[in-house]
Amino acid sequence: MPTFAAVLQQPDFPVSDFLTELSRRRTFAIVAHPDAGKTTLTEKLLLFGGAIQTAGAVKSNKIKKSTVSDFMEIERQRGISVSTSVMGFEYRDLQINILDTPGHEDFSEDTYRTLTAVDSAIVAVDVAKGVETQTEKLTKVCRMRDTPIIFFVNKLDREGLDGFDLLDEIEQKLNVRVRPLSWPIGMGQRFKGVYNLYEKKLVLFNPHGKQEDEDLIVFEDLSHPDLEKHLGESAARTLREEVEVVETVYPEFKKEDYRSGKICPVFFGSAVNNFGVKEMLDCFVEIAPTPLPRDTEERRVLPEEPKMTGFVFKIFANMDPKHRDRIAFLRICSGKFERNKNYRHIRLEREFKFPNPTMFMASRKTLLEEAYPGDVVGLYDSGNFKIGDTLTEGEILHFKGIPSFSPEQFRYVENADPLKQKQFAKGLDQLMDEGVAQMFTRQSDGRRIIGTVGQLQFEVIQHRLESEYGAKCRYEPVNLHKACWVTSDDPKALQEFLDRRKRDIAKDKDDNMVFLAETAWTLQTVQENFPKVNFRFTSEV
Ligand code: G4P
């Protein structure tokens, strides 16, 4: 594996430009339970970065519950999602890439995959609601990969949980260690601002305006009597006491601990009031990691390696029904990506070059000549890519860690129009490549079962099969609790299990063996009876 030093010694490699570009990249996602303020926070960050000029420019890509069956809405959301896939801006000479994630929890698998393409994450939490189900799931996915996390506790302009209680809840429910880097002064009607513990600044809340520089007061020492002047006696006393507790209870903040995923800094604010956001951004640009190394099945790939490598983590198909093309989103992991250069598609064992690589940036679409590690490139594709595919300059590598999660809802899917069998099969195949849902083929009878994380996907599949492929599908109920991938170090034990449970065995789209458990009890029983078989609830593609 080439080391940093070896890269520097490559004779014709424009090392300095490349390394400068690499070190300028910060690629992250903002994730949250719906309604916690992800869209608002994203918008404020883009405003600071000058990527947008007005509030309201970032469309929420949320599909509200009331519009579950409104397919025009789903199409509109797909349009928004493709154009906001990456929202990039320059801030303090850094290139910041925010990768967008879907707003509806039924699409959370898409979010999980996007999290494999980032180097850090910001998790927004509503101060009144605390840790919600999606916060738990999404943080768990970040923790599986030790992705550095910053928490942004939002909506301090409303009444909510006490700061310490909220931090306890985050630590307990999410199994993380936190370290507040700002501290709220009151909340709701009594919200006066935050004390920025990182920069030792008092930031006063001005509910009706932009945060101005005069709202910032530097306080190296909180015992200074001027604190009362700004906050009043009672709030000043509480702040002193609470900050003292913070400094004693929570560990000292160390950048390395954050970067290794050991500690999560926490900021407090109110995104809609543009308050506390700049504090977080200014800290983020100082501490957030540059593009991180990525593991492949063969070896670890370092971003500074001169040869281009990347993987596809997201696919959008049939955005324009007249042209059956798709856009595959490639995260660059090492080297410089160049337009019209030949790259090896490892799964297909073929060379490809891309005349029109595109950067989708907050509703702007630009043709790009080159891209660097941390960047995301949109590649026009006529059906050659699947999620998880790797591109390199020739070396055989397979990037690890794009997870598929065990679905939670299942239905048999059948072709409802015998004259359109071909279109039905192709449509299903392509939608699965895109990662809309998972499909399992039961080995005993060849029936296809669609597994999803939410109800909405079944409707999306039906609608898209019809409108994009001219095919019709019908669902039938199937009584299933979980699908889990089965493996074993002992081939005999695995075979015995597969023979004994023939009726419950299926294959996923990559021919991996899957056990279909009808109930939690069945699952528990087989786990006990077949101790040499591993039952996994995630699979990496
Ligand atoms: P999401 O993407 O995480 O789903 O959340 P989003 O930003 O859409 O915010 C959800 C709702 O919370 C929005 O209100 C938004 O205005 C509000 N919100 C965001 N940040 C704050 C905050 O700091 N304080 C308060 N009080 N509210 C906040 P909405 O009524 O759903 O939409 P809208 O009509 O305001 O756009």
Side-chain angles (χ1 to χ4, degrees), residues 20-230:
T20 309
E21 286 302 330
L22 163 61
S23 61
R24 278 175 12 90
R25 264 52 186 185
R26 300 289 183 280
T27 301
F28 71 103
I30 304 179
V31 293
H33 189 89
D35 269 346
K38 178 179 76 79
T39 310
T40 316
L41 186 58
T42 307
E43 180 171 284
K44 300 304 170 190
L45 292 176
L46 295 181
L47 278 169
F48 280 124
I52 54 170
Q53 268 65 47
T54 49
V58 180
K59 303 276 178 303
S60 168
N61 62 5
K62 227 176 338 189
I63 297 174
K64 302 244 176 202
K65 276 274 180 252
S66 57
T67 60
V68 156
S69 301
D70 181 349
F71 294 111
M72 288 307 288
E73 179 64 13
I74 290 175
E75 290 305 308
R76 196 182 67 84
Q77 297 296 350
R78 291 209 312 135
I80 293 173
S81 302
V82 77
S83 65
T84 59
S85 283
V86 189
M87 288 168 282
F89 60 92
E90 294 221 359
Y91 187 74
R92 296 227 226 128
D93 211 25
L94 297 181
Q95 172 64 40
I96 316 270
N97 297 321
I98 308 183
L99 305 198
D100 195 26
T101 56
H104 194 290
E105 57 195 282
D106 283 6
F107 292 99
S108 48
E109 271 223 53
D110 203 11
T111 304
Y112 303 152
R113 286 192 290 262
T114 299
L115 285 173
T116 63
V118 301
D119 301 303
S120 70
I122 293 179
V123 179
V125 175
D126 182 328
V127 69
K129 300 203 173 130
V131 172
E132 298 175 82
T133 48
Q134 279 303 101
T135 333
E136 277 187 63
K137 287 192 184 165
L138 294 164
T139 314
K140 198 164 154 196
V141 176
C142 293
R143 296 203 28 87
M144 281 166 69
R145 310 165 47 81
D146 292 327
T147 306
I149 298 173
I150 293 180
F151 285 98
F152 184 79
V153 178
N154 192 24
K155 307 197 185 180
L156 264 289
D157 58 318
R158 293 217 182 132
E159 292 300 330
L161 303 171
D162 164 76
F164 290 109
D165 291 346
L166 186 68
L167 295 183
D168 284 352
E169 184 175 314
I170 292 178
E171 289 201 326
Q172 278 158 20
K173 285 201 178 160
L174 305 179
N175 194 20
V176 293
R177 298 294 318 273
V178 298
R179 196 337 165 166
L181 288 185
S182 79
W183 193 254
I185 306 162
M187 64 174 67
Q189 297 283 335
R190 297 163 294 108
F191 184 52
K192 288 191 182 327
V194 292
Y195 183 65
N196 182 338
L197 296 155
Y198 188 66
E199 293 184 42
K200 305 219 176 304
K201 279 182 190 156
L202 181 70
V203 194
L204 296 176
F205 181 52
N206 169 6
H208 304 296
K210 219 174 126 214
Q211 202 173 307
E212 304 286 352
D213 281 345
E214 55 262 36
D215 298 332
L216 300 176
I217 304 145
V218 179
F219 268 101
E220 285 294 337
D221 179 3
L222 276 184
S223 63
H224 199 287
D226 275 0
L227 191 64
E228 269 81 358
K229 265 208 281 187
H230 297 290

Side-chain angles (χ1 to χ4, degrees), residues 367-423:
L367 185 72
L368 63 89
E369 294 296 330
E370 55 192 38
Y372 295 89
D375 286 341
V376 170
V377 180
L379 303 173
Y380 286 96
D381 162 46
S382 50
N384 294 310
F385 284 111
K386 276 187 188 185
I387 284 172
D389 278 342
T390 300
L391 283 185
T392 72
E393 293 191 25
E395 187 179 353
I396 297 180
L397 295 172
H398 299 86
F399 280 95
K400 282 206 218 172
I402 300 201
S404 284
F405 288 79
S406 174
E408 284 157 26
Q409 306 203 21
F410 302 88
R411 289 190 198 169
Y412 282 121
V413 62
E414 302 287 350
N415 178 21
D417 181 350
L419 297 176
K420 297 281 170 64
Q421 174 57 30
K422 238 168 99 188
Q423 289 87 334

Side-chain angles (χ1 to χ4, degrees), residues 326-339:
R326 332 206 240 175
I327 301 157
F329 288 87
L330 181 81
R331 147 93 197 204
I332 311 296
C333 299
S334 68
K336 181 161 92 170
F337 175 94
E338 288 172 79
R339 182 162 90 92

